Amino acid sequence: MSMATTAPTRRPRVNLAVVAPIVALIVLVLIGMALNPNFLSFANITNVLARSAFIGIIAIGMTFVITAGGLDLSVGSMAAFVAGLMILVMNMLTESMGGGLPVILIGIALALFTGLAAGFINGILITRAGIEAFILTLGTMGIYRSLVTWLADGGTLSLGYEMRELYRPVYYEGILGISWPIIVFAVLAILGEITMRHTAFGRHCAAIGSNEKVARYSSVAVLRVRLMTYVLLGTLVGIAVVMYVPRLGSASATTGLLWELEAIAAVIIGGTLLKGGFGRVWGTVVGVLILSLIGNLLNLTDFVSPYLNGAIQGVVIILAVVLQRNTGAAR
Amino acid sequence: MSMATTAPTRRPRVNLAVVAPIVALIVLVLIGMALNPNFLSFANITNVLARSAFIGIIAIGMTFVITAGGLDLSVGSMAAFVAGLMILVMNMLTESMGGGLPVILIGIALALFTGLAAGFINGILITRAGIEAFILTLGTMGIYRSLVTWLADGGTLSLGYEMRELYRPVYYEGILGISWPIIVFAVLAILGEITMRHTAFGRHCAAIGSNEKVARYSSVAVLRVRLMTYVLLGTLVGIAVVMYVPRLGSASATTGLLWELEAIAAVIIGGTLLKGGFGRVWGTVVGVLILSLIGNLLNLTDFVSPYLNGAIQGVVIILAVVLQRNTGAAR
Amino acid sequence: ETIGISIPAATHGWAGALNFHAERTVARLSEANPDLEFVLTTTSDPGQQVSDLEDMVATRGIDALVVLPFESEPLTGPIQRIADSGVWVTVVDRGLAQEGIENLYVAGDNDSFGRTAGQYFADTLDEGAKVVVMRGIASTVDNERVAGFEAALEGSGIEVLAMDHGNWNRDTAFNLMQDWLSRFPEIDAVWAADDDMAVGALAAIDQAGRTEEMFVVGGAGMKEMVQRIQDGDPTVPVNVTYPPAMISTAIEMTALGLTSGAPMSGEFIIASELITPENAESFYFEDSPY
Amino acid sequence: MTDPILALNGVTKSFGPIEILHGVDFALHPGEVHALIGENGAGKSTTMKILAGYLDPTGGQVTWQGKPITFAGSDEAEDLGIIMIHQEFNLAEHLSVDQNVFLGRELRRGLLLDHKAMRAQTADLLGQLQCRVDPGTPVNRISVPDKQMVEIAKALSRKARVLIMDEPTAVLTERETEVLFAQIDRLRAEGVAILYTSHKLGEVKRIADRVTVLRDGTMVRSDLTADVTEDDMATAMVGRELSDLFPPKAAHGAEPILEAQGVSVPGVVHDASLVLHRGEVLGIGGLVGSGRTELAEAIAGLRPRSGTVRLKGQDLPANHVSQAMRAGLVYLTEDRKGAGLLLDKTLRENLTLGQLDQFGSPLIDRKREEAALDTAIGDFAIRAPERGMAVGDLSGGNQQKLLLAKTLLSDPQVVIIDEPTRGIDIGTKQQIYTLIARLAAEGRSIIVISSEMPELIGLASRVVVMHAGRIVGELADAAVTEGNIVRLAMGMDHSQGGHEKDSAA
Ligand SMILES: Nc1ncnc2c1ncn2[C@@H]1O[C@H](COP(=O)(O)OP(=O)(O)OP(=O)(O)O)[C@@H](O)[C@H]1O
Ligand SMILES: Nc1ncnc2c1ncn2[C@@H]1O[C@H](COP(=O)(O)OP(=O)(O)OP(=O)(O)O)[C@@H](O)[C@H]1O
Ligand SMILES: [Mg+2]
Ligand SMILES: [Mg+2]
């Protein structure tokens, strides 16, 4: 299970592993400061944090799924589907009920419920029907993506103007200048970290990811815990959508494209083991911020061809992980 | 490692696991026959087989990588990059050398070498620098994709007209009406299957994927074998490109998009374990054919909105795997 | 003074050409006006485009924005806010969901794109002729083009055998065309909502040896296609323009407005034209990558 | 005598078409230690798993306090207080010791885990077991015997009414065994019913009140321990008389074949030097955690090390297993499950894994592999119900035999065997001892690391003893006695014993 590919000489491990993603983050911040004086401006910081929130919230859930030895490729499409459905229903309700706060509340409830249900479907098929998570969620990824395209008739589903104005503050306003997505992200990150480290659920996730049989023999309800990780992830996708829809007020076939890869990358950059058995939510948060910052930094300067943005992103991601290569046990 | 989620009662496993992907394939063929009389026409069959060849050849290599407990997300971009470089160099050579067979041979050699080198780079960074394969290849995926966009200046790299005519037969012609891609795919599949089952290399891959420490204690050169799987995969990407370029004579930023997901899906549908330890090349071939056939069938009929093609694809992929859920040990 | 430019990433041929023209124009203008600064970003989804716009405003302090919205609806709000903050806004190609936000609008006409091709079909094909339609990636652009095409066919008695997404991708189009060729014994013409797909379709038709039987009309004036029209290739009789160079026009006009202090506001809609063997010469650009 | 708390009535068990247990009846009584003994593969572990709810019987009945009961799973049995210590480790490697001990029954304060209490209680339990592992260490960093102690601690932490122990002492030294026995005595006094298996018959005689013998899935006898001798037990198990366990020691040559000079492994082994001669059986003694395994692995090229290792005068590079193996030196690991065998692969694939080039190149000759497996099955008396089964489904002892066969397949000149007879029954043990003596007689040299004192004494003509990572002494011939080894191993005495080597750093 754990086959610590012992490198020739033993290095002091623990500290580096803990510190590495943070160091990567700090390096990025320093680069940003050097590149552009506006980098540390309040506006830029809040922009970056707020836009990290969607992937961030999803990645928190992904941390649990991966820690328990699972995977979910469908989250991006799921987000698009949930957003599409939410908008469609809100528009319909606006027509029949005439808009207003209740419509928004119903929309939010619907998003949360749909996310939860989608997560439940993934989870139940993986745990009960016993389908390899990679394949199942690849399948549902295609299904949700198709469904949203179909709902939008190939185009874009847009929230009615009136509703959009009413709903907008959920993304753009907040408390003390800190917008809601940032607050929600922060709260969920803290709750996630506590759940992972200080509750039986978190511990059981790690145990299942480490050795499913051992967990079962220790009377951990393996299937239920695993199912729960997917339900949790689905619900978090719902929450992310609730934050996302007021930002753009629309959903289309391209909404949430590649979010799954970004979320998984953030989780792994944060030090969680891809094969399960160990996960840390705060690492995931750092991972998400690293990924967001790379994009932000590339926009701060233009010393390279935009064609090469992807290449720079790739290099930075790799470097961020090289810093902490000693953690990765199994690969 | 393998914790055969023992259900209360044991089902007869072996046969179903072996037969399942084949059954799925046969069911698809029967559906095809029912839907369209042209389905079994020689032209359609050879079309489907020839277009399967690219992903198929890559998926053969992916089988080894996954069996040895690795993963490679970069193959699609790598293919695009290799194709772009090949075309660029061939065009340059045509100018300086005046075209002809030597240019094609140099182009082929270059493609093979570049593929091999790219695989080597992935492999060496994963095995020596110890970077999690998922992250590393996600990084190189971005890098190669950027590089090809940059090489093509955002557009499309096209092989000069004369060269294209000369090179065309490699995709469109063959022996006895069977085109080269099909022949090459078939030969590589047979070689791959033999390598996996009847050589020390194949055994070692499975051993490493099953338990790396046991493999090391059994004096298997773990790092070298693992590196070799990536080199093999890279070389096969090169071969796939050699078959691909003569088809349309061009490469762009969209070449090979999502090939990695398709290749991995084919491998898993074929019964190889995503966590490593067990792989079968013939299963992968069946998996590739299943995926190609789904696309083919959807094009041969139009009983649903084209928006929903993706959904149907998703459902069929899941169903194909449900048939053989008993194989999947760890998930 | 800083001009921000935000366009889609080069994920298909036309967008690639757009990138090419944008970069070339930026290079040319920066040389000519040393005090002009440009920020060029490319995006692959609307969410990221909004992020890029936010960054331009927060960290680069742009004075003018040239933007090709990835999707109209989601970008309307963010662009409106930028416009409200006093930044000059030039919108390219894809109109916003609300009128009157942008100062300058430079665009092609997707409806006309489809309609022009459809008109050609209606004019040249007999009643009862059979055609297949290759659509792009599901999006508003694609919907508009197809709607225009269908509207032009109305009443012509031409039968659309099948319509599916080739995703503006050569390989997908190749496979799709192969399968249609196996499925339909008779096809009189193919309309591809973009030249990249036409390239794939042509290769498949060529392979099946059915070049005599049908013609293919793509769109956007790819070099290769224009050349074939020029050569009088009966398989590729015409093409429809949708010039990616419109981004250059937009950038140039914006820059001119900033530097000369004589703002060029208004609308420039570039309707699609039919490229025929007669006028093909004027649509052929040797050094364009597209 | 008290009423039985848990009993088996004519229980049978089949895996697929093969019946493993053919009607087993016996009862466990509160306050009684019941030993279950039998050859490898006789069905002891299977019986225990049925009692603890891990497996369903195919036929017959399990009764709890006289009433028939069927467990839906091990949780249900555990709720009744039936706790089992598995023969194979049952620990999640990524989790720390205390997390493992409380896995599935975490202590909470409100919604949150009570880390402090769990850590303290774990430290307490380990203290009772005199195990010095830090509760916060991840399990994949602790040694095999320590894992066993953690496993025991985990069982003790649950309120047991019936405690089932499947070969708990297989990897323990006598000192730890004593500690465990003290705990067993305490539990017996508290009225816990205990079922115990071991291949160490001396232990059985000492600790058990009653002993039941299984042979080929059938009960052959069940007696009060007081009424039987060790020989009786062995005879009942094996079905024949056992002569002397250890073969006579042959004289060995004077030619040094393996020389290790100043071998150090950072943090675990310090400046260890030893010499092995042609045809010699050298023992390495020491307590758990003294660094014997690490030293052996360092010599075999499995660990980074400093110092030199020369085989037949030729230097072996550090951390290069295959070179050592090609030069004729092999190591048999004590960690059968983690480093020895691929549990999800077949016997054949495991047997030949390290030596595939012997079986044809480029293609592997399946027939020769099968022939090699036949030989191995014969030579090592491996009992597998089916040839094509996964190694993980073999009984523990048979896995060990397969591991031996696998390690010796390369026909090595020098063999380092770490715990050679771990979990092996007394009959097969004798065969293995004979084999070791034969190997030595053929001119091969063997290092035996063993925690079983009689084994060291019976096999080795010379024993080096380690303490805290250093070689603290060397005993030869008549000086190889239990007392001398123990004294050195405890670090109590540096000058006792035969010609001691200076090994100060
Ligand atoms: N899951 C299984 N599938 C098939 N056969 C099995 C399975 N589990 C055990 N067996 C077989 O049942 C027999 C009894 O095994 P068991 O583990 O009970 O033996 P044991 O008496 O504990 O032996 P040891 O002393 O070696 O531990 C063995 O032949 C073993 O191979
Ligand atoms: N991977 C590791 N990381 C950290 N410490 C380790 C590791 N492996 C072993 N140790 C520690 O090194 C010490 C020596 O272990 P070793 O297994 O060599 O002991 P040993 O003398 O062979 O005893 P045993 O009878 O337990 O095998 C032990 O304290 C053990 O916990
Ligand atoms: Mg046993
Ligand atoms: Mg040891």
Side-chain angles (χ1 to χ4, degrees):
Chain A
M1 196 99 285
S2 75
M3 44 208 72
T5 328
T6 353
T9 51
R10 224 165 254 261
R11 307 179 198 85
R13 329 177 125 214
V14 187
N15 292 349
L16 194 57
V18 172
V19 171
I22 299 181
V23 170
L25 189 63
I26 292 174
V27 169
L28 280 180
V29 170
L30 291 178
I31 294 176
M33 285 165 61
L35 286 180
N36 194 307
N38 291 327
F39 175 71
L40 277 190
S41 69
F42 184 73
N44 191 49
I45 296 288
T46 48
N47 278 346
V48 172
L49 288 177
R51 79 175 67 131
S52 310
F54 317 130
I55 303 257
I57 291 171
I58 293 173
I60 291 170
M62 191 68 86
T63 311
F64 287 89
V65 168
I66 291 180
T67 301
L71 196 72
D72 193 337
L73 296 175
S74 71
V75 289
S77 315
M78 194 194 286
F81 173 69
V82 173
L85 195 68
M86 178 181 181
I87 291 171
L88 204 70
V89 169
M90 282 172 77
N91 284 347
M92 275 163 42
L93 287 178
T94 314
E95 269 176 35
S96 62
M97 293 172 50
L101 199 63
V103 171
I104 290 183
L105 292 180
I106 295 177
I108 290 178
L110 179 81
L112 297 183
F113 173 78
T114 316
L116 186 148
F120 183 80
I121 292 172
N122 275 345
I124 208 84
L125 287 171
I126 289 166
T127 55
R128 303 290 158 165
I131 309 172
E132 169 73 60
F134 184 96
I135 284 291
L136 180 91
T137 57
L138 187 69
T140 50
M141 162 172 141
I143 294 173
Y144 291 128
R145 184 66 63 201
S146 274
L147 285 179
V148 69
T149 316
W150 178 72
L151 283 183
D153 216 355
T156 309
L157 281 164
S158 293
L159 201 54
Y161 181 75
E162 187 196 352
M163 276 299 105
R164 209 184 306 174
E165 286 305 301
L166 202 63
Y167 194 7
R168 251 189 107 238
V170 173
Y171 182 81
Y172 291 97
E173 316 274 292
I175 310 175
L176 299 175
I178 301 183
S179 64
W180 288 114
I182 303 180
I183 296 170
V184 172
F185 180 28
V187 169
L188 289 175
I190 292 168
L191 286 180
E193 177 68 17
I194 291 174
T195 308
M196 184 63 93
R197 290 171 61 113
H198 299 291
T199 69
F201 175 70
R203 183 144 309 168
H204 291 172
C205 287
I208 292 170
S210 173
N211 190 330
E212 183 173 327
K213 191 170 160 192
V214 167
R216 194 151 33 87
Y217 278 12
S218 305
S219 61
V220 171
V222 173
L223 296 187
R224 206 181 57 221
V225 170
R226 187 163 271 173
L227 170 63
M228 284 298 299
T229 61
Y230 289 97
V231 172
L232 176 68
L233 175 55
T235 311
L236 288 171
V237 168
I239 297 177
V241 167
V242 167
M243 300 282 117
Y244 174 82
V245 169
R247 183 179 192 219
L248 300 182
S250 69
S252 71
T254 52
T255 301
L257 214 57
L258 296 185
W259 281 10
E260 56 281 346
L261 277 188
E262 236 178 286
I264 297 171
V267 170
I268 296 169
I269 292 174
T272 296
L273 294 183
L274 181 59
K275 299 215 168 174
F278 174 77
R280 53 186 187 200
V281 173
W282 70 260
T284 299
V285 172
V286 173
V288 169
L289 294 180
I290 288 178
L291 289 178
S292 280
L293 273 186
I294 298 174
N296 183 243
L297 286 183
L298 287 173
N299 285 341
L300 288 179
T301 48
D302 40 11
F303 55 97
V304 283
S305 153
Y307 299 143
L308 291 177
N309 277 359
I312 296 178
Q313 240 158 24
V315 170
V316 176
I317 291 176
I318 294 174
L319 286 182
V321 174
V322 168
L323 269 175
Q324 66 182 62
R325 61 186 163 153
N326 291 322
T327 9
R331 74 185 60 89
Chain B
M1 199 94 286
S2 76
M3 43 207 74
T5 330
T6 350
T9 51
R10 227 162 248 264
R11 307 181 200 86
R13 338 173 120 213
V14 187
N15 292 349
L16 194 58
V18 171
V19 173
I22 298 182
V23 170
L25 189 63
I26 292 174
V27 169
L28 279 180
V29 170
L30 291 179
I31 295 176
M33 283 165 62
L35 286 179
N36 196 307
N38 289 329
F39 175 72
L40 275 191
S41 69
F42 184 74
N44 191 50
I45 297 287
T46 49
N47 281 346
V48 172
L49 289 177
R51 78 173 71 136
S52 309
F54 317 131
I55 304 253
I57 291 171
I58 293 173
I60 291 170
M62 192 67 86
T63 311
F64 287 88
V65 168
I66 292 181
T67 301
L71 195 71
D72 193 338
L73 296 175
S74 71
V75 288
S77 316
M78 193 194 286
F81 172 69
V82 174
L85 196 68
M86 178 180 180
I87 291 172
L88 204 71
V89 169
M90 281 172 77
N91 283 347
M92 275 163 43
L93 286 179
T94 313
E95 267 175 38
S96 62
M97 293 172 50
L101 199 62
V103 171
I104 290 184
L105 292 181
I106 294 177
I108 291 178
L110 179 81
L112 298 183
F113 173 77
T114 316
L116 185 149
F120 183 81
I121 292 172
N122 275 345
I124 208 82
L125 287 171
I126 290 166
T127 54
R128 304 291 159 165
I131 309 172
E132 169 74 60
F134 184 95
I135 285 291
L136 181 90
T137 56
L138 186 69
T140 49
M141 162 172 141
I143 294 174
Y144 291 128
R145 183 65 65 201
S146 275
L147 285 180
V148 69
T149 316
W150 177 72
L151 282 184
D153 221 351
T156 305
L157 282 164
S158 293
L159 201 54
Y161 180 76
E162 187 196 352
M163 276 299 106
R164 208 185 308 174
E165 285 305 300
L166 202 63
Y167 194 8
R168 245 187 121 248
V170 172
Y171 183 82
Y172 293 99
E173 316 273 292
I175 309 175
L176 299 174
I178 302 183
S179 64
W180 287 115
I182 303 180
I183 296 170
V184 172
F185 180 27
V187 169
L188 288 175
I190 291 168
L191 286 180
E193 177 68 16
I194 291 174
T195 308
M196 183 63 93
R197 291 172 60 114
H198 299 290
T199 69
F201 177 70
R203 277 293 170 80
H204 288 169
C205 287
I208 292 170
S210 171
N211 188 331
E212 183 174 327
K213 195 169 169 191
V214 171
R216 198 163 59 88
Y217 273 62
S218 308
S219 83
V220 173
V222 173
L223 297 186
R224 205 180 58 218
V225 170
R226 188 164 270 172
L227 170 62
M228 282 299 298
T229 61
Y230 289 97
V231 171
L232 175 68
L233 175 54
T235 311
L236 288 172
V237 168
I239 296 178
V241 167
V242 168
M243 299 283 115
Y244 171 83
V245 168
R247 183 163 96 171
L248 296 177
S250 65
S252 72
T254 50
T255 300
L257 213 56
L258 295 185
W259 281 10
E260 56 281 347
L261 276 188
E262 237 179 286
I264 296 171
V267 170
I268 296 169
I269 291 174
T272 296
L273 293 183
L274 183 59
K275 299 218 165 175
F278 175 77
R280 53 184 186 200
V281 172
W282 71 260
T284 299
V285 172
V286 173
V288 169
L289 294 181
I290 288 177
L291 290 178
S292 282
L293 273 186
I294 299 173
N296 181 243
L297 287 182
L298 287 172
N299 288 342
L300 289 181
T301 48
D302 44 7
F303 55 100
V304 283
S305 153
Y307 297 142
L308 291 178
N309 277 359
I312 296 177
Q313 238 157 25
V315 170
V316 176
I317 291 175
I318 294 174
L319 286 182
V321 174
V322 167
L323 270 176
Q324 66 182 64
R325 60 183 163 155
N326 292 322
T327 8
R331 77 182 54 90
Chain C
E1 314 240 272
T2 311
I3 300 180
I5 303 164
S6 172
I7 53 177
T11 51
H12 54 96
W14 190 83
L18 190 81
N19 277 262
F20 170 79
H21 288 293
E23 278 209 271
R24 237 179 31 163
T25 314
V26 165
R28 188 154 42 77
L29 289 180
S30 333
E31 207 161 300
N33 308 294
D35 48 336
L36 262 190
E37 231 187 278
F38 291 91
V39 189
L40 176 60
T41 65
T42 62
T43 47
S44 47
D45 70 273
Q48 201 206 327
Q49 189 165 30
V50 174
S51 303
D52 287 348
L53 297 185
E54 285 171 354
D55 286 349
M56 285 182 191
V57 174
T59 64
R60 306 297 294 272
I62 52 169
D63 304 289
L65 172 68
V66 179
V67 58
L68 198 167
F70 207 93
E71 287 278 345
S72 309
E73 295 282 351
L75 269 301
T76 302
I79 294 176
Q80 177 162 33
R81 246 159 291 126
I82 293 173
D84 289 349
S85 73
V87 172
W88 173 276
V89 171
T90 302
V91 171
V92 186
D93 194 35
R94 225 154 294 170
L96 297 177
Q98 272 178 52
E99 293 188 9
I101 295 174
E102 71 275 4
N103 303 77
L104 175 63
Y105 181 48
V106 180
D109 182 347
N110 284 306
D111 180 72
S112 144
F113 180 98
R115 205 175 282 272
T116 310
Q119 199 56 52
Y120 177 79
F121 276 51
D123 292 345
T124 43
L125 291 171
D126 303 329
E127 204 171 308
K130 296 177 166 55
V131 302
V132 289
V133 174
M134 235 175 238
R135 315 180 54 153
I137 292 175
S139 61
T140 320
V141 174
D142 181 59
N143 285 352
E144 282 172 12
R145 290 184 178 181
V146 173
F149 181 79
E150 283 179 323
L153 285 199
E154 198 104 350
S156 66
I158 293 172
E159 186 192 349
V160 176
L161 291 172
M163 203 185 263
D164 206 339
H165 295 273
N167 295 341
W168 287 327
N169 180 305
R170 296 179 179 204
D171 294 309
T172 318
F174 178 82
N175 292 346
L176 188 58
M177 195 65 218
Q178 273 192 333
D179 291 346
W180 277 342
L181 288 167
S182 328
R183 182 171 151 199
F184 303 114
E186 191 200 327
I187 301 173
D188 297 307
V190 181
W191 180 57
D194 174 274
D195 276 340
D196 264 322
M197 294 192 290
V199 170
L202 282 166
I205 295 168
D206 191 28
Q207 180 200 19
R210 287 166 71 174
T211 26
E212 307 292 302
E213 179 187 330
M214 66 194 84
F215 65 80
V216 177
V217 175
M222 182 190 279
K223 222 164 51 175
E224 229 176 293
M225 292 293 156
V226 179
Q227 173 121 51
R228 284 176 83 155
I229 296 170
Q230 241 174 327
D231 297 348
D233 187 336
T235 318
V236 186
V238 295
N239 201 284
V240 180
T241 60
Y242 201 82
M246 68 176 76
I247 190 73
S248 305
T249 318
I251 298 173
E252 276 162 10
M253 289 173 76
T254 308
L256 201 62
L258 274 189
T259 48
S260 71
M264 322 263 296
S265 50
E267 274 197 4
F268 293 83
I269 308 292
I270 305 162
S272 291
E273 289 175 62
L274 197 65
I275 306 178
T276 58
E278 290 73 46
N279 65 6
E281 207 174 337
S282 56
F283 292 99
Y284 188 80
F285 306 103
E286 182 60 50
D287 57 347
S288 160
Y290 182 60
Chain D
M1 195 170 162
T2 53
D3 287 335
I5 180 163
L6 186 62
L8 293 177
N9 273 329
V11 160
T12 62
K13 176 69 191 174
S14 306
F15 291 109
I18 301 155
E19 192 173 89
I20 298 296
L21 297 180
H22 320 287
V24 177
D25 318 73
F26 64 84
L28 304 180
H29 297 268
E32 188 185 86
V33 177
H34 192 129
L36 186 62
I37 59 172
E39 281 183 290
N40 294 131
K44 302 179 296 294
S45 300
T46 308
T47 306
M48 291 178 147
K49 285 182 192 158
I50 290 173
L51 279 169
Y54 291 97
L55 290 175
D56 295 327
T58 312
Q61 257 176 358
V62 182
T63 59
W64 172 255
Q65 294 179 332
K67 288 188 246 4
I69 189 166
T70 40
F71 301 116
S74 59
D75 318 12
E76 249 180 68
E78 198 174 315
D79 289 344
L80 293 177
I82 306 171
I83 310 296
M84 173 161 174
I85 300 175
H86 290 264
Q87 180 174 13
E88 298 301 342
F89 297 123
N90 201 22
L91 301 171
E93 297 267 327
H94 293 98
L95 302 192
S96 65
V97 170
D98 61 337
Q99 291 174 345
N100 266 291
V101 167
F102 283 93
L103 185 60
R105 312 169 28 260
E106 289 81 4
L107 303 180
R108 296 171 213 203
R109 273 212 326 248
L111 274 178
L112 301 185
L113 297 175
D114 190 345
H115 297 287
K116 247 200 211 137
M118 286 192 281
R119 194 150 285 191
Q121 288 191 26
T122 306
D124 229 41
L125 285 164
L126 292 175
Q128 280 177 36
L129 294 171
Q130 299 184 21
C131 173
R132 285 159 310 178
V133 168
D134 173 14
T137 325
V139 163
N140 57 20
R141 300 266 193 90
I142 67 177
S143 68
V144 169
D146 284 337
K147 284 184 192 170
Q148 184 67 53
M149 293 314 265
V150 172
E151 193 84 74
I152 292 167
K154 183 173 171 180
L156 292 181
S157 79
R158 283 140 163 89
K159 283 280 150 289
R161 296 185 64 191
V162 177
L163 182 59
I164 299 173
M165 293 187 271
D166 196 354
E167 297 193 34
T169 57
V171 294
L172 300 184
T173 58
E174 282 171 27
R175 202 174 68 110
E176 281 90 20
T177 304
E178 283 311 316
V179 174
L180 175 64
F181 282 2
Q183 295 296 323
I184 292 179
D185 281 335
R186 178 177 65 79
L187 292 170
R188 169 162 49 194
E190 288 170 8
V192 176
I194 292 163
L195 181 62
Y196 181 92
T197 331
S198 176
H199 290 292
K200 301 175 184 173
L201 299 181
E203 280 177 4
V204 171
K205 178 80 183 149
R206 241 201 75 192
I207 195 76
D209 301 306
R210 176 176 284 278
V211 53
T212 295
V213 182
L214 273 185
R215 194 196 301 157
D216 284 336
T218 316
M219 273 181 56
V220 288
R221 57 192 290 187
S222 185
D223 309 271
L224 290 177
T225 317
D227 301 340
V228 289
T229 63
E230 279 182 48
D231 279 345
D232 292 341
M233 293 186 215
T235 311
M237 275 167 60
V238 185
R240 64 184 154 87
E241 290 271 343
L242 282 180
S243 51
D244 212 6
L245 204 50
F246 294 100
K249 297 177 196 173
H252 60 78
E255 176 195 347
I257 182 156
L258 177 77
E259 296 157 281
Q261 264 301 324
V263 171
S264 296
V265 177
V268 230
V269 179
H270 313 283
D271 193 26
S273 304
L274 55 79
V275 178
L276 179 68
H277 304 98
R278 177 178 295 283
E280 183 183 29
V281 180
L282 171 71
I284 302 183
L287 298 179
V288 165
S290 57
R292 295 165 300 170
T293 296
E294 305 255 354
L295 173 60
E297 290 185 347
I299 290 175
L302 284 158
R303 279 183 184 273
R305 58 140 206 263
S306 56
T308 57
V309 174
R310 327 186 94 227
L311 184 67
K312 290 185 278 187
Q314 178 197 346
D315 268 342
L316 291 183
N319 220 12
H320 206 307
V321 213
S322 46
Q323 187 138 338
M325 189 178 277
R326 245 176 284 131
L329 178 135
V330 298
Y331 167 72
L332 184 140
T333 174
E334 65 174 344
D335 187 3
R336 180 168 75 214
K337 199 176 170 187
L341 295 172
L342 299 172
L343 299 179
D344 53 354
K345 299 280 172 209
T346 61
L347 279 71
R348 176 176 53 81
E349 286 164 297
N350 270 285
L351 179 69
T352 59
L353 180 60
Q355 293 298 321
L356 281 174
D357 43 353
Q358 269 187 28
F359 291 89
S361 177
L363 298 190
I364 299 169
D365 184 345
R366 186 71 71 85
K367 284 215 192 72
R368 262 161 66 197
E369 277 191 296
E370 295 289 357
L373 180 58
D374 283 333
T375 317
I377 288 177
D379 286 357
F380 295 88
I382 298 171
R383 294 219 308 209
E386 274 175 285
R387 248 183 116 81
M389 72 197 291
V391 163
D393 287 341
L394 281 180
S395 82
N398 282 304
Q399 291 180 14
Q400 182 70 18
K401 296 183 213 165
L402 179 68
L403 180 58
L404 260 170
K406 173 188 165 192
T407 313
L408 294 177
L409 190 68
S410 67
D411 194 20
Q413 286 303 305
V414 177
V415 194
I416 307 177
I417 311 183
D418 205 350
E419 311 292 355
T421 59
R422 177 181 158 197
I424 284 190
D425 69 52
I426 184 115
T428 315
K429 241 181 205 173
Q430 191 188 26
Q431 283 170 266
I432 289 173
Y433 295 152
T434 315
L435 176 84
I436 290 176
R438 200 185 73 217
L439 291 175
E442 285 169 12
R444 291 175 227 276
S445 317
I446 293 126
I447 296 180
V448 175
I449 301 174
S450 177
S451 300
E452 276 186 65
M453 217 53 90
E455 201 162 272
L456 277 183
I457 297 164
L459 286 174
S461 47
R462 197 158 60 92
V463 172
V464 296
V465 182
M466 291 186 71
H467 172 74
R470 292 176 197 283
I471 292 185
V472 289
E474 183 179 313
L475 305 163
D477 304 323
V480 180
T481 64
E482 196 153 340
N484 283 340
I485 297 176
V486 169
R487 256 194 300 280
L488 284 169
M490 304 278 279
M492 296 196 306
D493 197 329
H494 275 231
S495 55
Q496 268 280 279
H499 50 287
E500 193 212 332
K501 259 168 89 171
D502 182 17
S503 60

